[in-house]
C-alpha cells in the first residue's frame, strides 16, 4: 500500500493532460434513447459518455529537492518542473445550493527498497499497475453552500486555491504562472447565471456540463464505487444495501428538486428521462411558505416533526366510522384525501397548526412522488428505485413516506433506496466529466471513507469554523471542556455556514436537544487507493461479510461502546508515553480521548451515521482518530521491549521443538500459537495479566494451561492433512499465508516457529502483517528486522529469509557456512493494506493479492482477524483459524464458551 508513513490511507490523484480547444470536439458521443427532439439534440451536442485517453504525462523529477527542514519527518519534495495541469474542482450550482467536489493530493513517498524489489520479482508484481500514469495520493471532498451565499463559496475556493489546482499545487511549484484560461467544470442553472461572477472574482471560466448527464454519471460512480452508499429507510430504520455492480442496471433514478425527473438508467452513458412531475420540493416549499409563513425549507421540515396530519387529512376511518375498508385493503389510518377535512370544517387558516399543515403537505407530496415512481418502475419492469435531490436532504420522515408509498403501491415488489451522497450527484458527475481522470474504472475496493474530526456541534448546531489543523482541534476540545459543554458529535471538516452531514444547516431543536433526524448521515472524505484489491481467495466475494458481531442490536452496541470507553484511559497513557510524555503529547492525548468519545456518542445516537457499522469499523475509527492527533504508534516502546524479551528465549524454544517427534511437534506448535496469542493490549483481561508477571512467565503459564479438547478443536483434521495417516504422506502446501497478530511472544514464539515448520516441509511462507500500527499489532515494516534477528538462531529461517529477500540489508551471523541457499523455499513479508486490529478482505494490498494467487493455505491468527472478522469467511483453499478468546461476551456469543477458551478451526477446501 502506497505511502503509509503519515496519512491513514493515501491514494492517488489524477494527472490531466492539457487539451487544445479543438480536441474538445473529438469527445465520443453516445446518444440517449429517443426522448423527444430537444433531448436528442442535447444528447448529440454534449454526449452521455466521456472518451478516456490512455496517455498520461510522466512525473518530471528534474531538479527535485527537499523543501524546508531536512530533519522534518516526511518533508515536502519540491518538483519545480512538474506540470500542474490537474483537475481539482467541479461545481453543481442549483437554485438553492452550490455543491462542490474537490480533490486534494499527496505525493507518494513510498521507497522502492531492495526488499520490495525482491518481493515484487518473486510475486510477479510489475513496477506499474493497470494504469499507465503516475500514482500520487489524494482525497475527494464534499462541501455545500447556500446559493444566496455565493460570495462565501467564492472565498472558500480562493482560500484553498482550488481554481488554480489547489494549495498543494502551489507547494509543488509556487512560482508557476497563473493560468489565465483556467476552466472549471460546472453544472446546474447557476453555471450559466453566475458565469460572469466566477470570471470576475476568480478569473476562471465555467465549462458547462449537461445537468442530467452529470446526475446519472455521479449516481453510477457512487453505486459502483462506494460500498455502503445505498440504503433503505423504513419506519426510522436505515439498512444499507450492497449493490452488485454487475447487476446494477437497469434502475430508476429519481431526482427530486423543485420538480421531479425520473430517469431510466441502462448503463454508463445510457439513460432516458421517462417521466417527470411538477409536484416536487418547490411545491412543498412554496405552499408551505404561503400556508405557514416559514422562512426556510429547514424550518418547514422542523415543523413537520411536531405535526399531526389527522387534524387536516381525511382518513379512511373518517369515512367509515373508524373502521378499515378491509375489502380493498385500506386501513382506517390510510389518507383518503390530503387536506380533505378542511372542506368540511368551519375554520380559517390561522385555526390550523402550522406543524399539522407542514406534515400533511409533506405526506401529500411524498406519497404522490412515491406512487408516480412506482408506476413508472412498473411500466419498465424496474425493481430498484434510487431517490435523490434537494427535497430529501437526509430527512428521516421524508424518506419514510416515500418508502411507504413505494412499498404500498408495489405490494412489496419494488424498493425505494436512497444515497448518502445524494446531494452531490451532479457535482460528482461534473467532476468526472474532466477527461483522463481515470475515475471511470475505479471499483468499490479502491475507495476508503474516513471521518476526520471537524467542528463539533451541540444541540443540533455546528459550533465554530472548520478545524483545519491539529492545534485548532485541540483548542476546540479544551474550550468545550472549560465551558462544561459536552461535545455531542464530531462532523467532517466543513467551511462556516455549511455542514459535513450531507444536508443543510441543521435546524435548531426545541429545548436544545439533538433532534432524532437532525444528524442525518455523515459524509466523510473519500480516499482513493487504487492499490487495494479484493482478496482473490474469497470463496464468494459477493456474500462475504467480515464482521461477526451484529451491532444493529442495541444491547450489543452499548456493550462494545462500553468496552472501548473503558479501554480509552489506558490507550491514552500508552499514546502519551510513546511521545515521551511531553506536555504537547498530553494535550493531544486528552484531545484524542474527547474526539473519540464524541465519535462514540455520535454513533450511539445514530449507529448508521457513518454507514453500516461493524466492530471492525469501530476499531478502525479509533486507530484513525489516534493518527489524526499524530499518535503514529502508541505501543511502539512496549512492542520493542516485548520483541527483545521474546527473541531472547527463541533459540531455546526451537531446540525444544527440534527434539520432539513430528506429531508431538505439530501439536506443540499449535498450542504455542494459541498460548502466545494471550498477549493482546486490546483486551482488558490481558492488560490485567501483565501486572502479574513478565512476558515469559505469562507465556509459560498459558502454555501449561493448554488442555484439549479446545472449545473449537479441529486439530486432528489439520494434523491428518499435514502428516497423513499410516504410510500415506500428503503433499505439502505450495504456499501458506500467515496473517500474524501481535508483536512480542505472539509472533516470535507463536507464529514464527509455525512458519519454520511449514518451511521445513517445503512450503513457501508469506507473513501478512498490518500496513499501519494498531494497538500492539506487528507491522510489515517491523517484521523484516524481527525475522533477521530470529534468523541468527535458526538456519532454516536464515535460508528462507534470504530467498525471500528479507536479509538483503541485514548482517546475520549464521550457524554454519553452508551455501546453496537459492534452493530454499522463501519466507516473505507483505503488508495487508490496513491499519486496524481487524481485516476486511474486500480491501487488501495489491502485494497481498499477488501473493494469494499461488497460496493453498491460509492461517488467520488472533481475535481481530480470526474472530471479530472472518470467523465465518470461506475460502478457495484450506484455512486454519487460531485464536485465544480474551473477551467473555465474544466467547459467549461466538463459541458458546468462556474467556481464555481456544479456537482451532480448520476448514479444508474439500
Amino acid at each position: 500500500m502506497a505511502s503509509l508513513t503519515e496519512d491513514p490511507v493515501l491514494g492517488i490523484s489524477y494527472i490531466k493532460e492539457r487539451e487544445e480547444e479543438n480536441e474538445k470536439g473529438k469527445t465520443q458521443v453516445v446518444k440517449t434513447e429517443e426522448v423527444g427532439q430537444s433531448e436528442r439534440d442535447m444528447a448529440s451536442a454534449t454526449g452521455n459518455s466521456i472518451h478516456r485517453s490512455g496517455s498520461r504525462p510522466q512525473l518530471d523529477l528534474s531538479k527535485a529537492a527537499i523543501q524546508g527542514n531536512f530533519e522534518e519527518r516526511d518533508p515536502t519534495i519540491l518538483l519545480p518542473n512538474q506540470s500542474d495541469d490537474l483537475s481539482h474542482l467541479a461545481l453543481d450550482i442549483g437554485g438553492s445550493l452550490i455543491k462542490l467536489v474537490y480533490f486534494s493530493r499527496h505525493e507518494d513517498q513510498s521507497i522502492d527498497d531492495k526488499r520490495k524489489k525482491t518481493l515484487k520479482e518473486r510475486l510477479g508484481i510489475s513496477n506499474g499497475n493497470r494504469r499507465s500514469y503516475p500514482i500520487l495520493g489524494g482525497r475527494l471532498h464534499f462541501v455545500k453552500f447556500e446559493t444566496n451565499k455565493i460570495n462565501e463559496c467564492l472565498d472558500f475556493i480562493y482560500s484553498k486555491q482550488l481554481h488554480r489546482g489547489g494549495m498543494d499545487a502551489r507547494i509543488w511549484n509556487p512560482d508557476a504562472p497563473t493560468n489565465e484560461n483556467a476552466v472549471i467544470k460546472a453544472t446546474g442553472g447557476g453555471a450559466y447565471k453566475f458565469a460572469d461572477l466566477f470570471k470576475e472574482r476568480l478569473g476562471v471560466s465555467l465549462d458547462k456540463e449537461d445537468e442530467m448527464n452529470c446526475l446519472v454519471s455521479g449516481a453510477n460512480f457512487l453505486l459502483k464505487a462506494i460500498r455502503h452508499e445505498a440504503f433503505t429507510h423504513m419506519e426510522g430504520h436505515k439498512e444499507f444495501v450492497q449493490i452488485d455492480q454487475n447487476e446494477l442496471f437497469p434502475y430508476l433514478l429519481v431526482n427530486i428538486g423543485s420538480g421531479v425527473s425520473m430517469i431510466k438508467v441502462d448503463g454508463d452513458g445510457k439513460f432516458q428521462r421517462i417521466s417527470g412531475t411538477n409536484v416536487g420540493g418547490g411545491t412543498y416549499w412554496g405552499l408551505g411558505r404561503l400556508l405557514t409563513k416559514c422562512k426556510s425549507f429547514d424550518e418547514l421540515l422542523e415543523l413537520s416533526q411536531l405535526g399531526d396530519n389527522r387534524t387536516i387529512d381525511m382518513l379512511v376511518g373518517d369515512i367509515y366510522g373508524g373502521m378499515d375498508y378491509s375489502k380493498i385493503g385500506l386501513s382506517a389510518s390510510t389518507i383518503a384525501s390530503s387536506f380533505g377535512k378542511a372542506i368540511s370544517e368551519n375554520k380559517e387558516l390561522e385555526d390550523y397548526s402550522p406543524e399539522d399543515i407542514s406534515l400533511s403537505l409533506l405526506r401529500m407530496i411524498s406519497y404522490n412522488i412515491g406512487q408516480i415512481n412506482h408506476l413508472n418502475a412498473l411500466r419498465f419492469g424496474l425493481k430498484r428505485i434510487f431517490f435523490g435531490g434537494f427535497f430529501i436532504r437526509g430527512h428521516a420522515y421524508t424518506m419514510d413516506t416515500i418508502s411507504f408509498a413505494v412499498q404500498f403501491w408495489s405490494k412489496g415488489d419494488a424498493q425505494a433506496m436512497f444515497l448518502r451522497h445524494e446531494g452531490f450527484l451532479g457535482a460528482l458527475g461534473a467532476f468526472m466529466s474532466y477527461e483522463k481522470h481515470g475515475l471511470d474504472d475505479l471499483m468499490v475496493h479502491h475507495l476508503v471513507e474516513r471521518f476526520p474530526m471537524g467542528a463539533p456541534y451541540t444541540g443540533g448546531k455546528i459550533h465554530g469554523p472548520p478545524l483545519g489543523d491539529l492545534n485548532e482541534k485541540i483548542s476546540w476540545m479544551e474550550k468545550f471542556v472549560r465551558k462544561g459543554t459536552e461535545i455531542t458529535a464530531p462532523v467532517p471538516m466543513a467551511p462556516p455556514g455549511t455542514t459535513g452531514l450531507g444536508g443543510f444547516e441543521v435546524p435548531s431543536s426545541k429545548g436544545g436537544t439533538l433532534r432524532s433526524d437532525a444528524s442525518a448521515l455523515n459524509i466523510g472524505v473519500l480516499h482513493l487507493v487504487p492499490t487495494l484489491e479484493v482478496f482473490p481467495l474469497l470463496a464468494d466475494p459477493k456474500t462475504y461479510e467480515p464482521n461477526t458481531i451484529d451491532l444493529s442490536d442495541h444491547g450489543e452496541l452499548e456493550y462494545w461502546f462500553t468496552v472501548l470507553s473503558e479501554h480509552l484511559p489506558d490507550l491514552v497513557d500508552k499514546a502519551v508515553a510513546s511521545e515521551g510524555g511531553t506536555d504537547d503529547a498530553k494535550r493531544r492525548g486528552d484531545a484524542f480521548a474527547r474526539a473519540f468519545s464524541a465519535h462514540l456518542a455520535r454513533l450511539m445516537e445514530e449507529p448508521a451515521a457513518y454507514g453500516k457499522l461493524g466492530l471492525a469499523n469501530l476499531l478502525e475509527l479509533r486507530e484513525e482518530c489516534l493518527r489524526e492527533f499524530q499518535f503514529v504508534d502508541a505501543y511502539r516502546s512496549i512492542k520493542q521491549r516485548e520483541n527483545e524479551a521474546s527473541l531472547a528465549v527463541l533459540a531455546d524454544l526451537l531446540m525444544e521443538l527440534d527434539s520432539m517427534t513430528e506429531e508431538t511437534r505439530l501439536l506443540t506448535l499449535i498450542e504455542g500459537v494459541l498460548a502466545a496469542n494471550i498477549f493482546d493490549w486490546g483486551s482488558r483481561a490481558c492488560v490485567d495479566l501483565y501486572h502479574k508477571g513478565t512476558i515469559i512467565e505469562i507465556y509459560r503459564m498459558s502454555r501449561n494451561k493448554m488442555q484439549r479438547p479446545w472449545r473449537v478443536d479441529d486439530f486432528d483434521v489439520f494434523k491428518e492433512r499435514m502428516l497423513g495417516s499410516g504410510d500415506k504422506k500428503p503433499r505439502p502446501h505450495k504456499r501458506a499465508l500467515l496473517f500474524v497478530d501481535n508483536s512480542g511472544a505472539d509472533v516470535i514464539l507463536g507464529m514464527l516457529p509455525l512458519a519454520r515448520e511449514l518451511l521445513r516441509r517445503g512450503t513457501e511462507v508469506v507473513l501478512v502483517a498490518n500496513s499501519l500500527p494498531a494497538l500492539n499489532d506487528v507491522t510489515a515494516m517491523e517484521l523484516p528486522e524481527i525475522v533477521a534477528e530470529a534468523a541468527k538462531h535458526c538456519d532454516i529461517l536464515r535460508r528462507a529469509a534470504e530467498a525471500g529477500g528479507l536479509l538483503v540489508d541485514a548482517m546475520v551471523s549464521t550457524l554454519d557456512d553452508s551455501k546453496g541457499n537459492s534452493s530454499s523455499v522463501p519466507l516473505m513479508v507483505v503488508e495487508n493494506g490496513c491499519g486496524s486490529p481487524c481485516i476486511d478482505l474486500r480491501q487488501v494490498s495489491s502485494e497481498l493479492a499477488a501473493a494469494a494467487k499461488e497460496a493453498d493455505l491460509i492461517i488467520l491468527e488472533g481475535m481481530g482477524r480470526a474472530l471479530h472478522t472472518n470467523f465465518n469467511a470461506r475460502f478457495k483453499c484450506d484455512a486454519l483459524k487460531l485464536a485465544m478468546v480474551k473477551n467473555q461476551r465474544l466467547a459467549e456469543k461466538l463459541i458458546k464458551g468462556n474467556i481464555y477458551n481456544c479456537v482451532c478451526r480448520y476448514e479444508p477446501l474439500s
Side-chain angles (χ1 to χ4, degrees):
M1 187 174 172
S3 187
L4 292 163
T5 54
E6 180 113 7
D7 196 76
V9 181
L10 295 184
I12 61 173
S13 66
Y14 300 93
I15 307 297
K16 178 179 181 295
E17 291 184 70
R18 189 176 303 277
E19 298 164 12
E20 298 298 333
E21 195 63 29
N22 61 359
E23 285 294 311
K24 196 171 181 181
K26 297 181 181 178
T27 300
Q28 178 184 350
V29 174
V30 178
K31 294 185 180 181
T32 62
E33 298 180 37
E34 299 302 310
V35 293
Q37 185 61 45
S38 61
E39 295 183 19
R40 286 200 303 271
D41 293 343
M42 177 181 67
S44 298
T46 62
N48 287 330
S49 77
I50 302 299
H51 173 70
R52 311 290 183 186
S53 169
S55 59
R56 317 280 174 178
Q58 297 300 307
L59 210 57
D60 187 349
L61 300 177
S62 59
K63 297 185 179 180
I66 292 178
Q67 184 181 48
N69 184 2
F70 280 74
E71 300 300 320
E72 181 184 353
R73 183 179 62 189
D74 300 324
T76 298
I77 297 177
L78 178 66
L79 301 179
N81 298 321
Q82 171 63 29
S83 168
D84 194 45
D85 190 10
L86 188 135
S87 312
H88 273 266
L89 170 69
L91 303 163
D92 179 2
I93 311 175
S96 303
L97 276 184
I98 302 172
K99 283 78 68 177
L100 285 76
V101 172
Y102 71 93
F103 190 81
S104 64
R105 71 184 180 190
H106 296 271
E107 298 91 329
D108 181 355
Q109 298 168 355
S110 63
I111 301 172
D112 189 16
D113 60 20
K114 294 179 183 177
R115 290 193 189 101
K116 286 283 187 183
K117 184 177 181 180
T118 304
L119 179 69
K120 286 181 177 181
E121 289 174 353
R122 183 164 288 278
L123 296 179
I125 303 174
S126 61
N127 288 329
N129 65 356
R130 58 192 171 81
R131 293 181 174 87
S132 59
Y133 53 93
I135 298 177
L136 301 174
R139 304 165 176 169
L140 213 53
H141 304 259
F142 305 87
V143 179
K144 290 182 180 179
F145 288 89
E146 293 179 15
T147 304
N148 59 13
K149 298 177 181 177
I150 189 170
N151 286 323
E152 291 183 11
C153 174
L154 293 169
D155 290 341
F156 174 74
I157 293 172
Y158 184 82
S159 69
K160 287 189 172 291
Q161 293 289 290
L162 297 178
H163 58 306
R164 295 180 179 177
M167 294 180 71
D168 50 356
R170 299 300 101 195
I171 294 174
W172 278 49
N173 194 354
D175 299 323
T178 301
N179 183 0
E180 298 298 335
N181 299 312
V183 173
I184 293 175
K185 294 286 187 178
T187 190
Y192 297 87
K193 182 177 180 180
F194 298 110
D196 291 342
L197 184 60
F198 272 80
K199 189 68 175 177
E200 177 186 337
R201 288 282 308 275
L202 300 177
V204 297
S205 300
L206 297 183
D207 188 3
K208 304 162 189 68
E209 294 291 326
D210 174 62
E211 193 167 357
M212 199 162 295
N213 193 40
C214 288
L215 283 171
V216 173
S217 181
N220 284 347
F221 171 73
L222 291 170
L223 288 169
K224 290 194 292 185
I226 311 299
R227 178 165 288 113
H228 297 135
E229 177 64 30
F231 63 94
T232 59
H233 201 290
M234 287 292 289
E235 298 180 355
H237 177 68
K238 299 182 187 76
E239 183 170 338
F240 288 89
V241 180
Q242 182 58 36
I243 307 295
D244 183 348
Q245 61 177 303
N246 295 318
E247 300 173 2
L248 172 61
F249 306 112
Y251 67 85
L252 186 64
L253 177 62
V254 184
N255 187 56
I256 313 175
S258 298
V260 183
S261 285
M262 297 150 207
I263 308 165
K264 178 175 176 280
V265 183
D266 292 300
D268 292 318
K270 299 176 183 178
F271 61 88
Q272 175 186 2
R273 186 182 186 276
I274 57 174
S275 187
T277 173
N278 57 350
V279 178
T283 313
Y284 177 60
W285 175 211
L287 286 175
R289 189 169 184 272
L290 290 173
L291 296 173
T292 68
K293 308 301 181 186
C294 283
K295 292 183 170 52
S296 73
F297 195 98
D298 281 320
E299 187 181 355
L300 191 62
L301 284 178
E302 179 82 7
L303 288 179
S304 71
Q305 289 292 113
L306 306 173
D308 182 356
N309 69 301
R310 293 173 299 179
T311 64
I312 300 177
D313 291 343
M314 183 181 293
L315 310 181
V316 168
D318 295 326
I319 300 173
Y320 290 93
M323 304 293 290
D324 296 339
Y325 192 172
S326 55
K327 187 175 182 179
I328 58 174
L330 296 178
S331 69
S333 60
T334 301
I335 299 174
S337 175
S338 293
F339 289 87
K341 283 185 179 176
I343 62 176
S344 59
E345 295 178 339
N346 188 21
K347 291 183 179 180
E348 299 299 325
L349 177 60
E350 54 269 19
D351 296 324
Y352 291 98
S353 159
E355 291 83 355
D356 297 346
I357 292 173
S358 177
L359 180 58
S360 178
L361 196 57
L362 180 64
R363 280 195 161 189
M364 179 183 76
I365 293 170
S366 297
Y367 285 152
N368 182 261
I369 291 172
Q371 181 181 16
I372 291 173
N373 282 284
H374 155 66
L375 293 173
N376 277 286
L378 186 67
R379 173 184 165 202
F380 289 95
L382 305 175
K383 297 295 184 182
R384 286 196 294 259
I385 311 174
F386 295 100
F387 291 87
F390 166 83
F391 180 64
I392 295 172
R393 66 213 297 182
H395 189 252
Y397 199 83
T398 304
M399 292 186 286
D400 270 354
T401 52
I402 290 174
S403 297
F404 177 82
V406 171
Q407 185 185 58
F408 178 85
W409 290 110
S410 71
K411 294 182 171 59
D413 287 343
Q415 194 174 33
M417 287 184 276
F418 306 90
L419 303 175
R420 289 173 62 213
H421 294 80
E422 53 88 12
F424 291 96
L425 300 185
L428 264 173
F431 187 82
M432 292 184 67
S433 70
Y434 286 108
E435 290 197 9
K436 306 169 193 67
H437 258 314
L439 287 175
D440 46 336
D441 58 352
L442 277 176
M443 308 280 282
V444 61
H445 51 273
H446 295 141
L447 288 127
V448 181
E449 190 171 23
R450 299 286 179 240
F451 295 90
M453 188 74 185
Y457 72 82
T458 56
K461 299 291 283 186
I462 292 176
H463 294 267
L467 307 182
D469 60 47
L470 184 64
N471 286 329
E472 283 184 306
K473 295 181 182 184
I474 296 173
S475 298
W476 264 107
M477 298 297 166
E478 293 170 340
K479 186 195 316 185
F480 271 75
V481 171
R482 285 199 304 270
K483 288 185 176 182
T485 306
E486 181 184 3
I487 302 173
T488 59
V491 299
M493 203 182 312
T498 70
T499 169
L501 297 174
F504 294 58
E505 283 281 5
V506 181
S508 299
S509 302
K510 300 291 186 283
T513 58
L514 191 64
R515 228 178 48 197
S516 61
D517 70 323
S519 55
L521 290 168
N522 284 54
I523 294 177
V525 178
L526 289 181
H527 295 247
L528 309 181
V529 192
T531 53
L532 292 180
E533 298 185 30
V534 177
F535 189 58
L537 293 178
L538 284 174
D540 186 359
K542 294 179 182 178
T543 60
Y544 169 76
E545 169 54 50
N547 291 289
T548 53
I549 304 297
D550 183 11
L551 293 186
S552 62
D553 181 312
H554 185 78
E556 200 70 33
L557 184 68
E558 192 169 14
Y559 169 80
W560 287 102
F561 276 21
T562 302
V563 169
L564 291 173
S565 297
E566 289 177 349
H567 182 248
L568 198 53
D570 184 71
L571 178 57
V572 172
D573 288 343
K574 298 294 186 297
V576 172
S578 73
E579 299 286 327
T582 63
D583 289 341
D584 173 68
K586 290 175 183 177
R587 287 185 70 216
R588 286 188 283 122
D590 182 66
F592 153 71
R594 298 184 186 282
F596 184 59
S597 295
H599 277 297
L600 292 180
R602 171 80 179 88
L603 289 168
M604 196 67 198
E605 175 194 33
E606 177 51 81
Y610 298 173
K612 187 177 181 180
L613 184 64
L615 187 55
N617 307 108
L618 275 179
L619 296 175
E620 188 171 11
L621 181 64
R622 178 181 62 186
E623 301 303 325
E624 293 294 339
C625 197
L626 270 171
R627 295 180 195 112
E628 189 178 355
F629 288 91
Q630 293 186 2
F631 292 108
V632 178
D633 189 351
Y635 287 79
R636 179 169 44 209
S637 59
I638 290 174
K639 290 193 293 183
Q640 291 173 347
R641 186 166 63 247
E642 293 186 354
N643 287 341
E644 291 170 2
S646 300
L647 285 166
V649 298
L650 177 62
D652 291 339
L653 174 62
L654 297 182
M655 287 179 62
E656 178 187 348
L657 289 167
D658 288 343
S659 67
M660 298 176 181
T661 64
E662 194 175 43
E663 185 172 330
T664 302
R665 184 168 66 242
L666 185 62
L667 175 59
T668 304
L669 284 165
I670 298 301
E671 287 178 340
V673 171
L674 295 171
N677 190 234
I678 197 171
F679 297 98
D680 189 341
W681 282 92
S683 164
R684 170 56 56 188
C686 294
V687 172
D688 293 340
L689 269 181
Y690 295 146
H691 300 299
K692 300 177 182 178
T694 66
I695 183 172
I696 301 305
E697 289 170 342
I698 297 169
Y699 170 70
R700 287 173 179 157
M701 175 196 70
S702 181
R703 280 286 302 271
N704 292 335
K705 290 185 177 181
M706 284 286 118
Q707 291 185 352
R708 296 184 63 199
W710 301 311
R711 188 60 189 173
V712 177
D713 193 340
D714 295 333
F715 173 76
D716 291 334
V717 183
F718 178 66
K719 180 183 71 172
E720 185 173 347
R721 168 62 185 88
M722 294 292 290
L723 307 181
S725 57
D727 296 331
K728 186 178 181 181
K729 294 295 182 183
R731 61 168 181 79
H733 291 95
K734 180 178 180 181
R735 177 182 291 170
L737 303 181
L738 275 60
F739 288 77
V740 297
D741 189 6
N742 304 302
S743 292
D746 196 1
V747 67
I748 295 169
L749 304 182
M751 291 297 277
L752 270 184
L754 179 59
R756 177 177 178 261
E757 182 69 16
L758 291 166
L759 292 166
R760 187 204 298 263
R761 294 175 180 279
T763 300
E764 294 183 359
V765 174
V766 180
L767 300 176
V768 184
N770 267 17
S771 298
L772 291 170
L775 293 175
N776 63 318
D777 291 359
V778 68
T779 68
M781 288 289 289
E782 297 162 344
L783 259 182
E785 184 178 345
I786 292 173
V787 171
E789 288 298 315
K792 293 177 181 179
H793 307 289
C794 174
D795 195 43
I796 296 173
L797 288 176
R798 178 181 60 79
R799 288 198 302 267
E802 286 179 348
L806 294 179
L807 302 185
V808 290
D809 297 323
M811 295 296 293
V812 180
S813 56
T814 61
L815 300 180
D816 60 35
D817 296 320
S818 62
K819 303 295 180 182
N821 296 333
S822 59
S823 62
S824 176
V825 291
L827 173 64
M828 296 171 277
V829 171
V830 302
E831 53 184 313
N832 58 21
C834 76
S836 166
C838 301
I839 185 168
D840 183 343
L841 294 173
R842 293 170 300 195
Q843 292 181 298
V844 303
S845 71
S846 57
E847 61 185 52
L848 172 54
K853 291 174 183 176
E854 297 291 329
D856 51 1
L857 173 63
I858 294 170
I859 300 179
L860 288 158
E861 182 240 356
M863 282 208 308
R865 292 156 187 80
L867 299 183
H868 289 150
T869 54
N870 301 307
F871 188 66
N872 300 317
R874 294 293 178 266
F875 300 97
K876 296 177 181 177
C877 67
D878 295 352
L880 180 65
K881 300 169 185 177
L882 300 169
M884 178 181 284
V885 188
K886 290 149 290 190
N887 176 278
Q888 183 61 43
R889 179 94 164 201
L890 186 68
E892 294 169 356
K893 290 280 185 179
L894 206 59
I895 62 171
K896 305 296 187 291
N898 296 309
I899 192 170
Y900 301 131
N901 279 167
C902 292
V903 172
C904 176
R905 186 173 185 173
Y906 180 58
E907 297 158 353
L909 177 60
S910 56

